[in-house]
Structures are given as C-alpha cells and as structure tokens.
Amino acid sequence: MVRTPLTPEERERGEQLGRLLRAARGERSMTEVAAVAGVSAETLRKIETGRAPTPAFFTVAALAGALGLSMDDLVGRCEPAAAA
C-alpha cells in the first residue's frame, strides 16, 4: 500500500504537536513520560522532532494524559497558522 504524501499543513500541525508535547514535558525525561503514557521513548522522540507528524489518536491521547494536557487544548493549539 502506498501512503499519500502529507500536505504542508499536516506537516506543520505535526511539528506544532511535537513542540507542544516537548514544552509540556519540561524537565521530565522522555523515558519517564513515555512509560507513563505506555508508548516507547522512540515514539515520543519521533513525535517531538516531527519525524512522526501523524501519530495515532490513542498515542496522542495517552501522551496528553501523561502530561496533564486536554485533547481540546492540543487540537486548538495545533491549528496551522493559515487556519487560525
């Protein structure tokens, strides 16, 4: 199966999500937050660096819960600049 290339807006949204998660993680280690969320540290690293710009919903929900973020807030803050 061939995956459709991501649009610039999808890439921007993924990068914004990564920045938000990294900021929310603060001084906590990637390993600690990933363990609480039930995902691998490598998955969290890829999301934070924008290498995984479209993570699964349940992965984002688990990370949001581990970081004390609301999904509504994440959605609102990950709007592409053109849409805001």
Side-chain angles (χ1 to χ4, degrees):
M1 181 165 99
V2 177
R3 183 172 182 176
T4 306
L6 297 175
T7 65
E9 292 81 16
E10 289 170 324
R11 288 206 171 278
E12 182 183 339
R13 194 169 32 244
E15 291 169 2
Q16 179 63 17
L17 172 65
R19 287 189 294 269
L20 290 170
L21 294 176
R22 174 61 189 99
R25 184 164 60 83
E27 296 297 316
R28 291 182 278 180
S29 75
M30 202 176 275
T31 305
E32 174 190 343
V33 172
V36 171
V39 302
S40 72
E42 178 66 11
T43 295
L44 178 54
R45 185 184 67 74
K46 286 179 180 178
I47 294 169
E48 284 187 0
T49 60
R51 290 190 54 225
T54 58
F57 172 81
F58 293 105
T59 300
V60 176
L63 288 168
L67 294 168
L69 300 171
S70 78
M71 291 296 287
D72 288 336
D73 188 40
L74 278 180
V75 168
R77 293 174 62 190
C78 287
E79 288 287 325

